[in-house]
Amino acid sequence: PWKSVRDVEWETLKWVEWYNSRRLLGPIGYIPPAEAEEAFYANLKSLDMVA
């Protein structure tokens, strides 16, 4: 159990960081969203170079 509002805020921030950065998602190949975003933008840059 959390003892203060600060504890609840800290745990919420940790969960949001996990949700946005480290969870694995099937539709994007079971990689974390942060890795998928990085690969997406790297792919855009390589497509710009080709064009």
Side-chain angles (χ1 to χ4, degrees), residues 6-25:
R6 189 176 192 159
D7 291 340
V8 173
E9 289 174 344
W10 179 248
E11 292 302 319
T12 302
L13 287 172
K14 287 188 341 186
W15 182 85
V16 168
E17 190 275 330
W18 170 84
Y19 188 85
N20 288 333
S21 302
R22 296 184 283 135
R23 67 190 169 117
L24 301 180
L25 293 174

PDB file of all heavy atoms in Angstrom, residues 6-25:
ATOM      1  N   ARG A   6       2.538  11.205  -3.159  1.00  0.00           N
ATOM      2  CA  ARG A   6       3.821  11.143  -3.856  1.00  0.00           C
ATOM      3  C   ARG A   6       4.170   9.709  -4.267  1.00  0.00           C
ATOM      4  O   ARG A   6       4.680   9.482  -5.366  1.00  0.00           O
ATOM      5  CB  ARG A   6       4.906  11.732  -2.963  1.00  0.00           C
ATOM      6  CG  ARG A   6       6.206  11.907  -3.664  1.00  0.00           C
ATOM      7  CD  ARG A   6       7.213  12.577  -2.767  1.00  0.00           C
ATOM      8  NE  ARG A   6       8.337  12.973  -3.570  1.00  0.00           N
ATOM      9  CZ  ARG A   6       9.191  13.897  -3.241  1.00  0.00           C
ATOM     10  NH1 ARG A   6       9.031  14.539  -2.110  1.00  0.00           N
ATOM     11  NH2 ARG A   6      10.190  14.196  -4.011  1.00  0.00           N
ATOM     12  N   ASP A   7       3.897   8.745  -3.406  1.00  0.00           N
ATOM     13  CA  ASP A   7       4.136   7.337  -3.742  1.00  0.00           C
ATOM     14  C   ASP A   7       3.279   6.906  -4.930  1.00  0.00           C
ATOM     15  O   ASP A   7       3.750   6.210  -5.825  1.00  0.00           O
ATOM     16  CB  ASP A   7       3.828   6.434  -2.545  1.00  0.00           C
ATOM     17  CG  ASP A   7       4.812   6.602  -1.405  1.00  0.00           C
ATOM     18  OD1 ASP A   7       5.933   7.110  -1.643  1.00  0.00           O
ATOM     19  OD2 ASP A   7       4.451   6.222  -0.277  1.00  0.00           O
ATOM     20  N   VAL A   8       2.038   7.311  -4.938  1.00  0.00           N
ATOM     21  CA  VAL A   8       1.128   6.971  -6.039  1.00  0.00           C
ATOM     22  C   VAL A   8       1.619   7.613  -7.331  1.00  0.00           C
ATOM     23  O   VAL A   8       1.653   6.974  -8.389  1.00  0.00           O
ATOM     24  CB  VAL A   8      -0.318   7.414  -5.724  1.00  0.00           C
ATOM     25  CG1 VAL A   8      -1.218   7.214  -6.922  1.00  0.00           C
ATOM     26  CG2 VAL A   8      -0.848   6.682  -4.510  1.00  0.00           C
ATOM     27  N   GLU A   9       2.031   8.880  -7.262  1.00  0.00           N
ATOM     28  CA  GLU A   9       2.537   9.559  -8.456  1.00  0.00           C
ATOM     29  C   GLU A   9       3.780   8.873  -8.999  1.00  0.00           C
ATOM     30  O   GLU A   9       3.924   8.698 -10.205  1.00  0.00           O
ATOM     31  CB  GLU A   9       2.851  11.022  -8.141  1.00  0.00           C
ATOM     32  CG  GLU A   9       1.627  11.868  -7.923  1.00  0.00           C
ATOM     33  CD  GLU A   9       1.959  13.271  -7.470  1.00  0.00           C
ATOM     34  OE1 GLU A   9       3.112  13.534  -7.033  1.00  0.00           O
ATOM     35  OE2 GLU A   9       1.056  14.121  -7.539  1.00  0.00           O
ATOM     36  N   TRP A  10       4.684   8.481  -8.120  1.00  0.00           N
ATOM     37  CA  TRP A  10       5.915   7.810  -8.544  1.00  0.00           C
ATOM     38  C   TRP A  10       5.599   6.476  -9.234  1.00  0.00           C
ATOM     39  O   TRP A  10       6.156   6.179 -10.281  1.00  0.00           O
ATOM     40  CB  TRP A  10       6.834   7.600  -7.349  1.00  0.00           C
ATOM     41  CG  TRP A  10       8.098   6.886  -7.721  1.00  0.00           C
ATOM     42  CD1 TRP A  10       8.464   5.641  -7.360  1.00  0.00           C
ATOM     43  CD2 TRP A  10       9.140   7.395  -8.553  1.00  0.00           C
ATOM     44  NE1 TRP A  10       9.669   5.318  -7.908  1.00  0.00           N
ATOM     45  CE2 TRP A  10      10.113   6.384  -8.654  1.00  0.00           C
ATOM     46  CE3 TRP A  10       9.339   8.591  -9.227  1.00  0.00           C
ATOM     47  CZ2 TRP A  10      11.272   6.544  -9.403  1.00  0.00           C
ATOM     48  CZ3 TRP A  10      10.501   8.740  -9.965  1.00  0.00           C
ATOM     49  CH2 TRP A  10      11.448   7.727 -10.047  1.00  0.00           C
ATOM     50  N   GLU A  11       4.739   5.682  -8.639  1.00  0.00           N
ATOM     51  CA  GLU A  11       4.381   4.400  -9.245  1.00  0.00           C
ATOM     52  C   GLU A  11       3.672   4.602 -10.584  1.00  0.00           C
ATOM     53  O   GLU A  11       3.875   3.833 -11.525  1.00  0.00           O
ATOM     54  CB  GLU A  11       3.520   3.575  -8.295  1.00  0.00           C
ATOM     55  CG  GLU A  11       4.255   3.089  -7.064  1.00  0.00           C
ATOM     56  CD  GLU A  11       5.472   2.232  -7.384  1.00  0.00           C
ATOM     57  OE1 GLU A  11       5.413   1.392  -8.308  1.00  0.00           O
ATOM     58  OE2 GLU A  11       6.493   2.407  -6.706  1.00  0.00           O
ATOM     59  N   THR A  12       2.850   5.630 -10.684  1.00  0.00           N
ATOM     60  CA  THR A  12       2.168   5.925 -11.947  1.00  0.00           C
ATOM     61  C   THR A  12       3.181   6.312 -13.013  1.00  0.00           C
ATOM     62  O   THR A  12       3.098   5.839 -14.154  1.00  0.00           O
ATOM     63  CB  THR A  12       1.142   7.059 -11.751  1.00  0.00           C
ATOM     64  OG1 THR A  12       0.212   6.660 -10.748  1.00  0.00           O
ATOM     65  CG2 THR A  12       0.413   7.366 -13.041  1.00  0.00           C
ATOM     66  N   LEU A  13       4.150   7.144 -12.667  1.00  0.00           N
ATOM     67  CA  LEU A  13       5.180   7.529 -13.625  1.00  0.00           C
ATOM     68  C   LEU A  13       6.005   6.335 -14.084  1.00  0.00           C
ATOM     69  O   LEU A  13       6.343   6.217 -15.268  1.00  0.00           O
ATOM     70  CB  LEU A  13       6.094   8.593 -13.017  1.00  0.00           C
ATOM     71  CG  LEU A  13       5.495   9.979 -12.885  1.00  0.00           C
ATOM     72  CD1 LEU A  13       6.428  10.880 -12.089  1.00  0.00           C
ATOM     73  CD2 LEU A  13       5.184  10.577 -14.240  1.00  0.00           C
ATOM     74  N   LYS A  14       6.323   5.435 -13.170  1.00  0.00           N
ATOM     75  CA  LYS A  14       7.067   4.227 -13.553  1.00  0.00           C
ATOM     76  C   LYS A  14       6.256   3.378 -14.519  1.00  0.00           C
ATOM     77  O   LYS A  14       6.791   2.853 -15.493  1.00  0.00           O
ATOM     78  CB  LYS A  14       7.441   3.411 -12.315  1.00  0.00           C
ATOM     79  CG  LYS A  14       8.531   4.040 -11.505  1.00  0.00           C
ATOM     80  CD  LYS A  14       9.093   3.220 -10.358  1.00  0.00           C
ATOM     81  CE  LYS A  14       8.296   2.099  -9.833  1.00  0.00           C
ATOM     82  NZ  LYS A  14       8.833   1.453  -8.638  1.00  0.00           N
ATOM     83  N   TRP A  15       4.949   3.247 -14.265  1.00  0.00           N
ATOM     84  CA  TRP A  15       4.099   2.459 -15.151  1.00  0.00           C
ATOM     85  C   TRP A  15       3.999   3.112 -16.528  1.00  0.00           C
ATOM     86  O   TRP A  15       4.093   2.429 -17.553  1.00  0.00           O
ATOM     87  CB  TRP A  15       2.698   2.292 -14.558  1.00  0.00           C
ATOM     88  CG  TRP A  15       1.825   1.458 -15.424  1.00  0.00           C
ATOM     89  CD1 TRP A  15       1.736   0.098 -15.438  1.00  0.00           C
ATOM     90  CD2 TRP A  15       0.927   1.926 -16.443  1.00  0.00           C
ATOM     91  NE1 TRP A  15       0.838  -0.311 -16.395  1.00  0.00           N
ATOM     92  CE2 TRP A  15       0.323   0.801 -17.027  1.00  0.00           C
ATOM     93  CE3 TRP A  15       0.578   3.187 -16.913  1.00  0.00           C
ATOM     94  CZ2 TRP A  15      -0.595   0.898 -18.044  1.00  0.00           C
ATOM     95  CZ3 TRP A  15      -0.339   3.281 -17.936  1.00  0.00           C
ATOM     96  CH2 TRP A  15      -0.919   2.150 -18.489  1.00  0.00           C
ATOM     97  N   VAL A  16       3.830   4.415 -16.585  1.00  0.00           N
ATOM     98  CA  VAL A  16       3.734   5.120 -17.870  1.00  0.00           C
ATOM     99  C   VAL A  16       5.023   4.951 -18.664  1.00  0.00           C
ATOM    100  O   VAL A  16       4.994   4.720 -19.875  1.00  0.00           O
ATOM    101  CB  VAL A  16       3.392   6.615 -17.651  1.00  0.00           C
ATOM    102  CG1 VAL A  16       3.570   7.419 -18.929  1.00  0.00           C
ATOM    103  CG2 VAL A  16       1.971   6.757 -17.128  1.00  0.00           C
ATOM    104  N   GLU A  17       6.167   5.050 -17.997  1.00  0.00           N
ATOM    105  CA  GLU A  17       7.449   4.854 -18.683  1.00  0.00           C
ATOM    106  C   GLU A  17       7.538   3.444 -19.254  1.00  0.00           C
ATOM    107  O   GLU A  17       7.952   3.251 -20.389  1.00  0.00           O
ATOM    108  CB  GLU A  17       8.605   5.123 -17.715  1.00  0.00           C
ATOM    109  CG  GLU A  17       9.958   5.190 -18.381  1.00  0.00           C
ATOM    110  CD  GLU A  17      10.624   3.844 -18.578  1.00  0.00           C
ATOM    111  OE1 GLU A  17      10.382   2.930 -17.771  1.00  0.00           O
ATOM    112  OE2 GLU A  17      11.375   3.697 -19.548  1.00  0.00           O
ATOM    113  N   TRP A  18       7.143   2.456 -18.476  1.00  0.00           N
ATOM    114  CA  TRP A  18       7.141   1.072 -18.965  1.00  0.00           C
ATOM    115  C   TRP A  18       6.192   0.929 -20.157  1.00  0.00           C
ATOM    116  O   TRP A  18       6.556   0.351 -21.172  1.00  0.00           O
ATOM    117  CB  TRP A  18       6.701   0.119 -17.846  1.00  0.00           C
ATOM    118  CG  TRP A  18       6.457  -1.265 -18.350  1.00  0.00           C
ATOM    119  CD1 TRP A  18       7.395  -2.238 -18.540  1.00  0.00           C
ATOM    120  CD2 TRP A  18       5.200  -1.814 -18.763  1.00  0.00           C
ATOM    121  NE1 TRP A  18       6.786  -3.367 -19.048  1.00  0.00           N
ATOM    122  CE2 TRP A  18       5.447  -3.134 -19.190  1.00  0.00           C
ATOM    123  CE3 TRP A  18       3.910  -1.333 -18.812  1.00  0.00           C
ATOM    124  CZ2 TRP A  18       4.440  -3.965 -19.661  1.00  0.00           C
ATOM    125  CZ3 TRP A  18       2.911  -2.161 -19.282  1.00  0.00           C
ATOM    126  CH2 TRP A  18       3.175  -3.453 -19.700  1.00  0.00           C
ATOM    127  N   TYR A  19       4.996   1.470 -20.049  1.00  0.00           N
ATOM    128  CA  TYR A  19       3.981   1.345 -21.093  1.00  0.00           C
ATOM    129  C   TYR A  19       4.455   1.995 -22.394  1.00  0.00           C
ATOM    130  O   TYR A  19       4.250   1.453 -23.473  1.00  0.00           O
ATOM    131  CB  TYR A  19       2.679   1.996 -20.619  1.00  0.00           C
ATOM    132  CG  TYR A  19       1.513   1.757 -21.546  1.00  0.00           C
ATOM    133  CD1 TYR A  19       0.756   0.604 -21.438  1.00  0.00           C
ATOM    134  CD2 TYR A  19       1.177   2.690 -22.522  1.00  0.00           C
ATOM    135  CE1 TYR A  19      -0.321   0.387 -22.276  1.00  0.00           C
ATOM    136  CE2 TYR A  19       0.104   2.479 -23.369  1.00  0.00           C
ATOM    137  CZ  TYR A  19      -0.643   1.325 -23.241  1.00  0.00           C
ATOM    138  OH  TYR A  19      -1.694   1.100 -24.089  1.00  0.00           O
ATOM    139  N   ASN A  20       5.100   3.144 -22.298  1.00  0.00           N
ATOM    140  CA  ASN A  20       5.516   3.872 -23.486  1.00  0.00           C
ATOM    141  C   ASN A  20       6.839   3.400 -24.066  1.00  0.00           C
ATOM    142  O   ASN A  20       7.102   3.644 -25.241  1.00  0.00           O
ATOM    143  CB  ASN A  20       5.629   5.372 -23.175  1.00  0.00           C
ATOM    144  CG  ASN A  20       4.286   6.011 -23.001  1.00  0.00           C
ATOM    145  OD1 ASN A  20       3.284   5.565 -23.541  1.00  0.00           O
ATOM    146  ND2 ASN A  20       4.251   7.080 -22.226  1.00  0.00           N
ATOM    147  N   SER A  21       7.666   2.723 -23.278  1.00  0.00           N
ATOM    148  CA  SER A  21       9.019   2.437 -23.732  1.00  0.00           C
ATOM    149  C   SER A  21       9.403   0.966 -23.779  1.00  0.00           C
ATOM    150  O   SER A  21      10.155   0.567 -24.659  1.00  0.00           O
ATOM    151  CB  SER A  21      10.028   3.146 -22.823  1.00  0.00           C
ATOM    152  OG  SER A  21       9.789   4.518 -22.821  1.00  0.00           O
ATOM    153  N   ARG A  22       8.938   0.165 -22.840  1.00  0.00           N
ATOM    154  CA  ARG A  22       9.527  -1.163 -22.694  1.00  0.00           C
ATOM    155  C   ARG A  22       8.592  -2.340 -22.922  1.00  0.00           C
ATOM    156  O   ARG A  22       9.062  -3.465 -23.017  1.00  0.00           O
ATOM    157  CB  ARG A  22      10.162  -1.287 -21.305  1.00  0.00           C
ATOM    158  CG  ARG A  22      11.325  -0.316 -21.143  1.00  0.00           C
ATOM    159  CD  ARG A  22      12.030  -0.479 -19.829  1.00  0.00           C
ATOM    160  NE  ARG A  22      11.237   0.152 -18.775  1.00  0.00           N
ATOM    161  CZ  ARG A  22      10.996  -0.403 -17.614  1.00  0.00           C
ATOM    162  NH1 ARG A  22      11.453  -1.575 -17.316  1.00  0.00           N
ATOM    163  NH2 ARG A  22      10.269   0.243 -16.728  1.00  0.00           N
ATOM    164  N   ARG A  23       7.293  -2.129 -23.003  1.00  0.00           N
ATOM    165  CA  ARG A  23       6.398  -3.271 -23.190  1.00  0.00           C
ATOM    166  C   ARG A  23       6.556  -3.814 -24.608  1.00  0.00           C
ATOM    167  O   ARG A  23       6.940  -3.106 -25.532  1.00  0.00           O
ATOM    168  CB  ARG A  23       4.953  -2.868 -22.929  1.00  0.00           C
ATOM    169  CG  ARG A  23       4.421  -1.908 -23.948  1.00  0.00           C
ATOM    170  CD  ARG A  23       3.078  -1.361 -23.521  1.00  0.00           C
ATOM    171  NE  ARG A  23       2.758  -0.259 -24.396  1.00  0.00           N
ATOM    172  CZ  ARG A  23       1.725  -0.234 -25.219  1.00  0.00           C
ATOM    173  NH1 ARG A  23       0.889  -1.245 -25.243  1.00  0.00           N
ATOM    174  NH2 ARG A  23       1.520   0.787 -25.986  1.00  0.00           N
ATOM    175  N   LEU A  24       6.290  -5.076 -24.789  1.00  0.00           N
ATOM    176  CA  LEU A  24       6.413  -5.709 -26.096  1.00  0.00           C
ATOM    177  C   LEU A  24       5.048  -5.749 -26.768  1.00  0.00           C
ATOM    178  O   LEU A  24       4.054  -6.103 -26.149  1.00  0.00           O
ATOM    179  CB  LEU A  24       6.954  -7.129 -25.950  1.00  0.00           C
ATOM    180  CG  LEU A  24       8.317  -7.253 -25.273  1.00  0.00           C
ATOM    181  CD1 LEU A  24       8.713  -8.722 -25.197  1.00  0.00           C
ATOM    182  CD2 LEU A  24       9.369  -6.442 -25.982  1.00  0.00           C
ATOM    183  N   LEU A  25       5.025  -5.405 -28.048  1.00  0.00           N
ATOM    184  CA  LEU A  25       3.767  -5.364 -28.788  1.00  0.00           C
ATOM    185  C   LEU A  25       3.826  -6.296 -29.993  1.00  0.00           C
ATOM    186  O   LEU A  25       4.739  -6.192 -30.813  1.00  0.00           O
ATOM    187  CB  LEU A  25       3.472  -3.939 -29.267  1.00  0.00           C
ATOM    188  CG  LEU A  25       3.187  -2.924 -28.172  1.00  0.00           C
ATOM    189  CD1 LEU A  25       3.058  -1.542 -28.766  1.00  0.00           C
ATOM    190  CD2 LEU A  25       1.923  -3.282 -27.438  1.00  0.00           C
TER     191      LEU A  25
END
